[in-house]
Amino acid sequence: MNQTPSHSQTPEFGHIPSTGILYQQPPSSEQIARANKRNKLKAFMRDVIAVVVFSSPILATPFAVRSCSDDVDRQAVQAVKFQMEANHERSN
């Protein structure tokens, strides 16, 4: 009984060449074109999302400033009304 110990953990398959290199058909031009379109669409969407994410704070700043300004104006008007009412009550 002559047995040669094998230290390889790779199973032996009858249909694999002895080189161990598997052959795969190259993709068709249609598959390549589809993959290229998909990759271009992904890249375009990444660019669009990046532009939206980075430009939204810049575009939102004037609206935030205006909103704060409106709040300050409203509070100033309320303060003047309150002072006028307080002065009117003191004088009576």
Coordinates of all heavy atoms in Angstrom, one line a residue:
M1 N 0.8 -1.2 0.0 CA 0.0 0.0 0.0 C 0.9 1.2 0.0 O 1.4 1.6 1.0 CB -0.9 0.0 1.2 CG -2.2 -0.5 1.0 SD -3.2 -0.7 2.4 CE -3.7 0.9 2.8
N2 N 1.0 1.8 -1.1 CA 1.7 3.0 -1.2 C 0.8 4.2 -1.3 O 0.0 4.3 -2.3 CB 2.6 3.0 -2.5 CG 3.9 2.3 -2.3 OD1 4.3 2.0 -1.2 ND2 4.5 1.8 -3.4
Q3 N 0.8 5.0 -0.3 CA -0.1 6.2 -0.3 C 0.8 7.4 -0.2 O 1.7 7.5 0.6 CB -1.1 6.2 0.8 CG -2.2 5.2 0.6 CD -3.2 5.3 1.8 OE1 -2.9 5.9 2.8 NE2 -4.3 4.7 1.6
T4 N 0.5 8.4 -1.1 CA 1.3 9.6 -1.0 C 0.4 10.7 -0.3 O -0.7 10.9 -0.7 CB 1.6 10.1 -2.4 OG1 2.3 9.1 -3.1 CG2 2.5 11.3 -2.4
P5 N 0.9 11.2 0.8 CA 0.1 12.2 1.5 C 0.0 13.5 0.7 O 1.0 13.9 0.1 CB 0.9 12.4 2.8 CG 2.3 12.0 2.5 CD 2.2 11.0 1.5
S6 N -1.2 14.0 0.6 CA -1.4 15.2 -0.1 C -1.6 16.3 0.9 O -2.5 16.2 1.8 CB -2.7 15.1 -1.0 OG -3.0 16.4 -1.5
H7 N -0.9 17.4 0.8 CA -1.0 18.5 1.7 C -2.0 19.6 1.2 O -2.2 20.6 1.8 CB 0.3 19.1 2.0 CG 1.3 18.1 2.7 ND1 1.1 17.7 4.0 CD2 2.3 17.5 2.2 CE1 2.0 16.8 4.3 NE2 2.8 16.7 3.2
S8 N -2.5 19.4 0.0 CA -3.3 20.3 -0.6 C -4.8 20.2 -0.1 O -5.2 19.0 0.0 CB -3.3 20.2 -2.1 OG -4.3 21.0 -2.7
Q9 N -5.4 21.2 0.2 CA -6.8 21.2 0.6 C -7.8 21.3 -0.6 O -9.0 21.4 -0.4 CB -7.1 22.3 1.6 CG -6.3 22.2 2.9 CD -6.7 20.9 3.7 OE1 -7.8 20.6 3.8 NE2 -5.6 20.3 4.2
T10 N -7.2 21.5 -1.8 CA -8.0 21.7 -3.0 C -8.6 20.3 -3.4 O -7.8 19.4 -3.6 CB -7.2 22.3 -4.1 OG1 -6.6 23.4 -3.6 CG2 -8.0 22.6 -5.3
P11 N -9.9 20.2 -3.5 CA -10.5 19.0 -4.0 C -10.1 18.7 -5.5 O -9.9 19.6 -6.2 CB -12.0 19.2 -3.8 CG -12.2 20.6 -3.8 CD -10.9 21.2 -3.3
E12 N -10.1 17.5 -5.8 CA -9.8 17.1 -7.2 C -11.0 16.9 -8.0 O -12.0 16.2 -7.5 CB -9.0 15.8 -7.2 CG -7.6 15.8 -6.5 CD -6.6 16.7 -7.3 OE1 -6.8 16.7 -8.6 OE2 -5.8 17.3 -6.7
F13 N -11.1 17.6 -9.1 CA -12.3 17.5 -10.0 C -11.7 17.0 -11.3 O -10.7 17.4 -11.8 CB -13.0 18.8 -10.2 CG -13.6 19.4 -8.9 CD1 -12.9 20.4 -8.2 CD2 -14.8 18.9 -8.5 CE1 -13.5 20.9 -7.1 CE2 -15.3 19.4 -7.3 CZ -14.7 20.4 -6.6
G14 N -12.5 16.1 -11.9 CA -12.0 15.4 -13.1 C -12.1 16.4 -14.3 O -11.3 16.2 -15.3
H15 N -12.9 17.4 -14.4 CA -13.1 18.2 -15.5 C -12.2 19.4 -15.5 O -12.1 20.2 -16.4 CB -14.5 18.6 -15.7 CG -15.0 19.5 -14.6 ND1 -15.5 18.9 -13.4 CD2 -15.2 20.8 -14.4 CE1 -15.9 19.9 -12.6 NE2 -15.7 21.0 -13.2
I16 N -11.4 19.6 -14.4 CA -10.5 20.8 -14.4 C -9.1 20.3 -14.9 O -8.6 19.3 -14.5 CB -10.3 21.2 -12.9 CG1 -11.7 21.8 -12.4 CG2 -9.3 22.3 -12.8 CD1 -11.6 22.2 -11.0
P17 N -8.6 21.1 -15.8 CA -7.3 20.7 -16.3 C -6.2 20.7 -15.2 O -6.4 21.2 -14.2 CB -6.9 21.8 -17.3 CG -8.1 22.7 -17.4 CD -9.1 22.3 -16.3
S18 N -5.2 20.0 -15.5 CA -4.1 19.8 -14.5 C -3.4 21.1 -14.1 O -2.8 21.2 -13.1 CB -3.1 18.8 -15.0 OG -2.5 19.3 -16.2
T19 N -3.6 22.1 -15.0 CA -3.0 23.4 -14.6 C -3.8 24.1 -13.5 O -3.3 25.0 -12.9 CB -3.0 24.4 -15.9 OG1 -4.3 24.5 -16.3 CG2 -2.1 23.8 -17.0
G20 N -5.0 23.8 -13.3 CA -5.9 24.4 -12.3 C -6.5 25.7 -12.8 O -7.1 26.4 -12.0
I21 N -6.3 26.0 -14.0 CA -6.9 27.3 -14.6 C -8.2 27.0 -15.2 O -8.3 26.1 -16.1 CB -5.9 27.9 -15.6 CG1 -4.6 28.3 -14.9 CG2 -6.5 29.2 -16.2 CD1 -3.5 28.8 -15.8
L22 N -9.2 27.6 -14.8 CA -10.5 27.5 -15.4 C -10.7 28.4 -16.5 O -10.2 29.6 -16.5 CB -11.6 27.7 -14.3 CG -11.6 26.7 -13.1 CD1 -12.7 27.2 -12.1 CD2 -11.9 25.3 -13.6
Y23 N -11.4 28.0 -17.5 CA -11.6 28.9 -18.7 C -13.1 29.4 -18.6 O -14.0 28.7 -18.3 CB -11.5 28.1 -20.0 CG -11.8 29.0 -21.2 CD1 -10.8 29.9 -21.7 CD2 -13.0 28.8 -21.9 CE1 -11.1 30.7 -22.8 CE2 -13.2 29.6 -23.0 CZ -12.3 30.6 -23.4 OH -12.6 31.3 -24.5
Q24 N -13.2 30.7 -18.9 CA -14.5 31.3 -18.9 C -14.6 32.1 -20.2 O -13.7 32.8 -20.6 CB -14.6 32.3 -17.7 CG -16.0 33.0 -17.6 CD -16.0 33.9 -16.4 OE1 -15.1 34.0 -15.7 NE2 -17.2 34.5 -16.3
Q25 N -15.7 32.0 -20.8 CA -16.0 32.7 -22.1 C -15.9 34.2 -21.8 O -16.4 34.7 -20.8 CB -17.3 32.3 -22.7 CG -17.4 31.0 -23.2 CD -16.8 30.8 -24.6 OE1 -16.4 31.8 -25.2 NE2 -16.5 29.6 -25.0
P26 N -15.3 34.9 -22.7 CA -15.3 36.4 -22.5 C -16.7 36.9 -22.7 O -17.5 36.4 -23.4 CB -14.3 36.9 -23.6 CG -14.2 35.8 -24.6 CD -14.5 34.5 -23.8
P27 N -17.0 38.0 -22.0 CA -18.4 38.6 -22.2 C -18.6 39.1 -23.6 O -17.7 39.5 -24.3 CB -18.4 39.7 -21.2 CG -17.0 40.1 -20.9 CD -16.2 38.8 -21.1
S28 N -19.9 39.0 -24.0 CA -20.2 39.5 -25.3 C -20.2 41.0 -25.3 O -20.2 41.7 -24.3 CB -21.6 39.0 -25.7 OG -22.6 39.6 -24.9
S29 N -20.2 41.6 -26.5 CA -20.2 43.0 -26.6 C -21.4 43.6 -26.1 O -21.4 44.7 -25.5 CB -19.9 43.5 -28.1 OG -21.0 42.9 -28.9
E30 N -22.5 42.9 -26.2 CA -23.8 43.4 -25.6 C -23.7 43.4 -24.1 O -24.2 44.4 -23.5 CB -24.9 42.4 -26.0 CG -26.3 42.9 -25.5 CD -27.4 41.9 -26.0 OE1 -27.4 41.6 -27.2 OE2 -28.2 41.5 -25.2
Q31 N -23.1 42.4 -23.5 CA -23.0 42.4 -22.0 C -22.0 43.6 -21.6 O -22.3 44.2 -20.6 CB -22.4 41.1 -21.5 CG -23.4 39.9 -21.6 CD -22.7 38.6 -21.3 OE1 -21.5 38.4 -21.6 NE2 -23.4 37.7 -20.8
I32 N -21.0 43.8 -22.3 CA -20.1 44.9 -22.0 C -20.8 46.2 -22.1 O -20.6 47.1 -21.3 CB -18.8 44.8 -22.9 CG1 -18.0 43.6 -22.6 CG2 -18.0 46.1 -22.8 CD1 -16.9 43.3 -23.6
A33 N -21.6 46.4 -23.2 CA -22.3 47.7 -23.4 C -23.3 47.9 -22.3 O -23.4 49.0 -21.8 CB -23.0 47.6 -24.7
R34 N -24.0 46.9 -21.8 CA -24.9 47.0 -20.7 C -24.2 47.4 -19.4 O -24.7 48.2 -18.7 CB -25.7 45.6 -20.5 CG -27.1 45.8 -20.4 CD -27.9 44.6 -20.2 NE -27.7 43.6 -21.4 CZ -27.5 42.3 -21.2 NH1 -27.5 41.8 -20.1 NH2 -27.4 41.6 -22.3
A35 N -23.1 46.7 -19.2 CA -22.3 47.0 -18.0 C -21.8 48.5 -18.0 O -21.8 49.2 -17.0 CB -21.2 46.1 -17.8
N36 N -21.3 48.9 -19.2 CA -20.8 50.3 -19.4 C -21.9 51.3 -19.1 O -21.7 52.3 -18.4 CB -20.2 50.5 -20.7 CG -18.9 49.9 -20.9 OD1 -18.2 49.6 -19.9 ND2 -18.4 49.7 -22.1
K37 N -23.2 51.0 -19.6 CA -24.3 51.9 -19.4 C -24.6 52.0 -17.9 O -24.9 53.1 -17.4 CB -25.5 51.5 -20.2 CG -25.4 51.8 -21.7 CD -26.7 51.3 -22.4 CE -26.6 51.5 -23.9 NZ -27.8 51.0 -24.6
R38 N -24.6 50.8 -17.3 CA -25.0 50.8 -15.9 C -23.9 51.5 -15.0 O -24.3 52.3 -14.1 CB -25.0 49.3 -15.4 CG -25.7 49.1 -14.1 CD -25.8 47.6 -13.7 NE -26.3 46.8 -14.8 CZ -25.7 45.7 -15.3 NH1 -24.6 45.3 -14.8 NH2 -26.3 45.1 -16.3
N39 N -22.7 51.4 -15.4 CA -21.6 52.1 -14.7 C -21.7 53.6 -14.9 O -21.4 54.4 -14.0 CB -20.2 51.5 -15.1 CG -20.0 50.1 -14.5 OD1 -20.6 49.7 -13.6 ND2 -19.1 49.4 -15.2
K40 N -22.0 54.0 -16.1 CA -22.1 55.4 -16.4 C -23.3 56.0 -15.6 O -23.2 57.1 -15.1 CB -22.3 55.7 -17.9 CG -21.0 55.5 -18.7 CD -21.3 55.8 -20.2 CE -20.0 55.5 -21.0 NZ -20.3 55.7 -22.4
L41 N -24.4 55.3 -15.5 CA -25.6 55.8 -14.8 C -25.2 55.9 -13.3 O -25.6 56.9 -12.7 CB -26.7 54.8 -15.0 CG -28.0 55.2 -14.2 CD1 -28.6 56.5 -14.7 CD2 -29.1 54.1 -14.4
K42 N -24.5 54.9 -12.8 CA -24.1 54.9 -11.4 C -23.2 56.1 -11.1 O -23.4 56.8 -10.1 CB -23.4 53.6 -10.9 CG -24.3 52.5 -10.8 CD -23.5 51.2 -10.4 CE -24.3 50.0 -10.2 NZ -23.5 48.8 -9.9
A43 N -22.3 56.4 -12.0 CA -21.4 57.5 -11.8 C -22.1 58.8 -11.9 O -21.9 59.7 -11.1 CB -20.3 57.5 -12.8
F44 N -23.1 58.9 -12.8 CA -23.9 60.1 -13.0 C -24.7 60.4 -11.7 O -24.8 61.5 -11.2 CB -24.8 60.0 -14.2 CG -25.7 61.2 -14.4 CD1 -25.2 62.4 -14.8 CD2 -27.1 61.1 -14.0 CE1 -26.1 63.5 -15.0 CE2 -27.9 62.2 -14.2 CZ -27.4 63.4 -14.6
M45 N -25.3 59.3 -11.2 CA -26.2 59.5 -10.0 C -25.3 59.9 -8.8 O -25.7 60.7 -8.0 CB -26.9 58.2 -9.7 CG -28.0 57.9 -10.7 SD -29.2 59.2 -11.0 CE -30.0 59.3 -9.4
R46 N -24.1 59.3 -8.7 CA -23.2 59.7 -7.6 C -22.9 61.2 -7.7 O -22.8 61.9 -6.7 CB -21.9 58.9 -7.6 CG -21.9 57.6 -6.9 CD -20.6 57.0 -6.7 NE -19.8 56.9 -7.9 CZ -19.7 55.8 -8.6 NH1 -20.1 54.7 -8.1 NH2 -19.0 55.8 -9.8
D47 N -22.6 61.7 -8.9 CA -22.3 63.1 -9.1 C -23.5 64.0 -8.8 O -23.3 65.0 -8.1 CB -21.9 63.3 -10.6 CG -20.5 62.7 -10.9 OD1 -19.8 62.3 -10.0 OD2 -20.2 62.6 -12.1
V48 N -24.7 63.6 -9.2 CA -25.9 64.3 -8.9 C -26.1 64.4 -7.4 O -26.3 65.5 -6.8 CB -27.1 63.7 -9.6 CG1 -28.4 64.3 -9.0 CG2 -27.0 63.9 -11.1
I49 N -25.9 63.3 -6.7 CA -26.1 63.3 -5.2 C -25.1 64.2 -4.5 O -25.4 64.9 -3.6 CB -26.1 61.8 -4.7 CG1 -27.4 61.1 -5.2 CG2 -26.0 61.8 -3.2 CD1 -27.3 59.6 -4.9
A50 N -23.8 64.1 -5.0 CA -22.8 64.9 -4.4 C -23.1 66.4 -4.6 O -22.9 67.2 -3.7 CB -21.4 64.6 -5.1
V51 N -23.5 66.8 -5.8 CA -23.9 68.2 -6.1 C -25.0 68.6 -5.1 O -24.9 69.7 -4.6 CB -24.2 68.4 -7.5 CG1 -24.9 69.8 -7.8 CG2 -23.0 68.3 -8.4
V52 N -26.0 67.8 -5.0 CA -27.2 68.2 -4.1 C -26.7 68.3 -2.7 O -27.1 69.3 -2.0 CB -28.3 67.1 -4.3 CG1 -29.4 67.3 -3.2 CG2 -28.9 67.2 -5.6
V53 N -25.9 67.3 -2.2 CA -25.5 67.3 -0.8 C -24.6 68.6 -0.5 O -24.8 69.2 0.5 CB -24.7 66.0 -0.5 CG1 -24.0 66.1 0.8 CG2 -25.7 64.9 -0.4
F54 N -23.7 68.9 -1.4 CA -22.8 70.0 -1.1 C -23.4 71.4 -1.5 O -23.0 72.4 -0.9 CB -21.5 69.8 -1.9 CG -20.7 68.7 -1.3 CD1 -20.4 67.6 -2.1 CD2 -20.1 68.8 -0.1 CE1 -19.7 66.5 -1.6 CE2 -19.4 67.8 0.5 CZ -19.1 66.6 -0.3
S55 N -24.4 71.4 -2.4 CA -24.9 72.7 -2.7 C -26.1 73.1 -1.8 O -26.5 74.3 -1.7 CB -25.3 72.8 -4.2 OG -26.4 71.9 -4.4
S56 N -26.8 72.1 -1.2 CA -28.0 72.4 -0.5 C -27.7 73.4 0.7 O -28.5 74.3 1.0 CB -28.7 71.2 0.0 OG -27.9 70.4 0.7
P57 N -26.7 73.2 1.5 CA -26.4 74.1 2.6 C -26.2 75.6 2.1 O -26.6 76.5 2.7 CB -25.2 73.6 3.3 CG -25.1 72.2 2.9 CD -25.7 72.1 1.6
I58 N -25.5 75.7 1.0 CA -25.2 77.0 0.4 C -26.5 77.7 -0.1 O -26.7 78.8 0.2 CB -24.2 76.9 -0.8 CG1 -22.9 76.4 -0.2 CG2 -24.0 78.2 -1.5 CD1 -21.9 75.9 -1.3
L59 N -27.4 76.9 -0.7 CA -28.6 77.4 -1.2 C -29.6 77.7 -0.1 O -30.5 78.6 -0.2 CB -29.2 76.5 -2.3 CG -28.4 76.3 -3.5 CD1 -29.0 75.2 -4.4 CD2 -28.3 77.6 -4.3
A60 N -29.5 76.9 1.0 CA -30.5 77.1 2.1 C -30.1 78.2 3.0 O -31.0 78.7 3.7 CB -30.5 75.8 2.9
T61 N -28.9 78.7 3.0 CA -28.5 79.8 3.9 C -29.3 81.0 3.7 O -29.7 81.6 4.8 CB -27.0 80.1 3.7 OG1 -26.2 78.9 3.9 CG2 -26.5 81.2 4.6
P62 N -29.5 81.6 2.5 CA -30.4 82.8 2.5 C -31.8 82.6 3.0 O -32.3 83.5 3.7 CB -30.4 83.1 1.0 CG -29.3 82.4 0.4 CD -29.0 81.2 1.2
F63 N -32.4 81.4 2.9 CA -33.7 81.2 3.4 C -33.7 81.2 4.9 O -34.6 81.7 5.6 CB -34.3 79.9 2.8 CG -34.5 79.9 1.4 CD1 -33.7 79.2 0.5 CD2 -35.5 80.7 0.8 CE1 -33.8 79.2 -0.9 CE2 -35.7 80.7 -0.6 CZ -34.9 80.0 -1.4
A64 N -32.6 80.6 5.5 CA -32.5 80.5 6.9 C -32.3 81.9 7.5 O -32.9 82.3 8.5 CB -31.4 79.6 7.3
V65 N -31.4 82.7 6.9 CA -31.2 84.1 7.3 C -32.5 84.9 7.2 O -32.8 85.6 8.2 CB -30.0 84.7 6.5 CG1 -29.9 86.2 6.8 CG2 -28.7 84.0 6.8
R66 N -33.2 84.7 6.2 CA -34.4 85.5 6.0 C -35.5 85.1 7.1 O -36.1 85.9 7.7 CB -35.0 85.3 4.6 CG -36.2 86.1 4.4 CD -36.7 86.1 3.0 NE -37.9 86.9 2.9 CZ -38.4 87.4 1.8 NH1 -37.8 87.1 0.6 NH2 -39.4 88.1 1.7
S67 N -35.5 83.8 7.3 CA -36.5 83.3 8.3 C -36.1 83.9 9.7 O -37.0 84.3 10.5 CB -36.5 81.8 8.4 OG -37.2 81.3 9.4
C68 N -34.8 83.9 10.0 CA -34.4 84.4 11.3 C -34.6 85.9 11.4 O -35.0 86.5 12.4 CB -32.9 84.1 11.5 SG -32.5 82.4 11.8
S69 N -34.4 86.6 10.3 CA -34.7 88.0 10.2 C -36.2 88.3 10.5 O -36.5 89.3 11.2 CB -34.2 88.6 8.9 OG -34.6 89.9 8.8
D70 N -37.0 87.6 9.8 CA -38.5 87.7 10.0 C -38.8 87.5 11.5 O -39.7 88.3 12.1 CB -39.3 86.8 9.1 CG -39.2 87.1 7.7 OD1 -38.7 88.3 7.3 OD2 -39.5 86.3 6.8
D71 N -38.2 86.5 12.1 CA -38.5 86.2 13.5 C -38.0 87.4 14.4 O -38.7 87.8 15.3 CB -37.8 85.0 14.0 CG -38.5 83.7 13.5 OD1 -39.7 83.8 13.1 OD2 -37.9 82.6 13.6
V72 N -36.9 88.0 14.1 CA -36.4 89.1 14.9 C -37.3 90.3 14.7 O -37.6 91.0 15.7 CB -34.9 89.4 14.5 CG1 -34.5 90.8 15.0 CG2 -34.0 88.3 14.9
D73 N -37.7 90.6 13.5 CA -38.7 91.7 13.2 C -40.0 91.5 14.0 O -40.5 92.4 14.6 CB -38.9 91.8 11.8 CG -37.7 92.3 11.0 OD1 -36.8 92.8 11.6 OD2 -37.7 92.1 9.7
R74 N -40.5 90.3 14.0 CA -41.7 90.0 14.7 C -41.6 90.2 16.2 O -42.4 90.8 16.9 CB -42.2 88.5 14.4 CG -43.5 88.2 15.0 CD -43.9 86.7 14.7 NE -42.8 85.8 14.9 CZ -42.4 85.3 16.1 NH1 -43.0 85.7 17.2 NH2 -41.5 84.4 16.2
Q75 N -40.4 89.7 16.7 CA -40.2 89.8 18.1 C -40.0 91.3 18.5 O -40.4 91.7 19.6 CB -39.0 89.0 18.6 CG -39.2 87.5 18.5 CD -37.9 86.7 18.7 OE1 -36.8 87.3 18.9 NE2 -38.0 85.4 18.7
A76 N -39.4 92.1 17.7 CA -39.2 93.5 17.9 C -40.5 94.2 18.0 O -40.8 95.0 18.9 CB -38.3 94.1 16.9
V77 N -41.4 93.9 17.1 CA -42.8 94.5 17.1 C -43.5 94.1 18.3 O -44.2 95.0 19.0 CB -43.5 94.1 15.8 CG1 -45.0 94.5 15.9 CG2 -42.9 94.7 14.6
Q78 N -43.4 92.9 18.7 CA -44.1 92.4 20.0 C -43.5 93.1 21.2 O -44.3 93.5 22.1 CB -44.0 90.9 20.1 CG -44.9 90.1 19.2 CD -44.7 88.6 19.4 OE1 -43.7 88.2 20.0 NE2 -45.6 87.9 18.8
A79 N -42.2 93.3 21.2 CA -41.6 94.0 22.3 C -42.0 95.5 22.4 O -42.3 96.0 23.5 CB -40.1 93.9 22.2
V80 N -42.1 96.1 21.3 CA -42.6 97.5 21.3 C -44.0 97.6 21.7 O -44.4 98.5 22.6 CB -42.4 98.1 19.9 CG1 -43.1 99.5 19.7 CG2 -41.0 98.3 19.5
K81 N -44.9 96.7 21.3 CA -46.3 96.7 21.7 C -46.4 96.4 23.2 O -47.2 97.1 23.9 CB -47.1 95.6 21.0 CG -47.4 95.9 19.6 CD -48.3 94.8 19.0 CE -48.6 95.1 17.5 NZ -49.4 94.0 16.9
F82 N -45.6 95.5 23.7 CA -45.6 95.2 25.1 C -45.2 96.4 25.9 O -45.8 96.8 27.0 CB -44.7 94.0 25.4 CG -44.6 93.6 26.9 CD1 -45.7 92.9 27.5 CD2 -43.5 94.0 27.7 CE1 -45.6 92.6 28.8 CE2 -43.5 93.7 29.0 CZ -44.5 93.0 29.6
Q83 N -44.1 97.1 25.5 CA -43.6 98.3 26.2 C -44.7 99.4 26.2 O -44.9 100.1 27.2 CB -42.3 98.8 25.6 CG -41.1 97.9 25.9 CD -39.9 98.3 25.1 OE1 -39.9 99.2 24.3 NE2 -38.8 97.7 25.5
M84 N -45.3 99.5 25.0 CA -46.4 100.6 24.9 C -47.5 100.3 25.9 O -48.0 101.2 26.6 CB -46.9 100.7 23.5 CG -45.9 101.3 22.6 SD -46.4 101.4 20.8 CE -47.9 102.4 21.0
E85 N -47.9 99.0 26.0 CA -49.0 98.6 26.9 C -48.6 98.8 28.3 O -49.3 99.3 29.2 CB -49.4 97.2 26.6 CG -50.2 97.0 25.4 CD -50.4 95.5 25.1 OE1 -50.1 94.6 25.9 OE2 -51.0 95.2 24.0
A86 N -47.3 98.4 28.6 CA -46.8 98.6 30.0 C -46.7 100.1 30.4 O -47.1 100.5 31.5 CB -45.5 97.9 30.1
N87 N -46.3 100.9 29.5 CA -46.2 102.4 29.7 C -47.6 103.0 29.9 O -47.8 103.9 30.7 CB -45.4 103.1 28.7 CG -44.0 102.8 28.7 OD1 -43.4 102.4 29.8 ND2 -43.3 103.0 27.6
H88 N -48.6 102.5 29.1 CA -49.9 103.0 29.1 C -50.6 102.6 30.5 O -51.3 103.4 31.1 CB -50.8 102.4 28.0 CG -52.2 102.9 28.0 ND1 -52.5 104.2 27.7 CD2 -53.3 102.2 28.2 CE1 -53.8 104.3 27.8 NE2 -54.3 103.2 28.1
E89 N -50.3 101.4 31.0 CA -50.9 101.0 32.3 C -50.2 101.8 33.4 O -50.9 102.1 34.4 CB -50.6 99.5 32.5 CG -51.5 98.6 31.6 CD -51.3 97.1 31.8 OE1 -50.5 96.8 32.7 OE2 -51.8 96.4 31.0
R90 N -49.0 102.1 33.3 CA -48.3 102.9 34.4 C -48.8 104.3 34.5 O -48.9 104.9 35.5 CB -46.8 103.0 34.1 CG -46.0 101.7 34.5 CD -44.6 102.0 34.3 NE -43.9 100.7 34.2 CZ -42.7 100.5 33.7 NH1 -42.0 101.5 33.3 NH2 -42.1 99.3 33.6
S91 N -49.1 104.9 33.3 CA -49.6 106.2 33.3 C -51.0 106.4 33.8 O -51.4 107.4 34.2 CB -49.5 106.8 31.9 OG -50.4 106.2 31.0
N92 N -51.8 105.3 33.8 CA -53.2 105.4 34.3 C -53.2 105.2 35.8 O -53.0 105.0 36.7 CB -54.1 104.3 33.7 CG -54.4 104.7 32.3 OD1 -54.4 105.9 31.9 ND2 -54.8 103.8 31.5

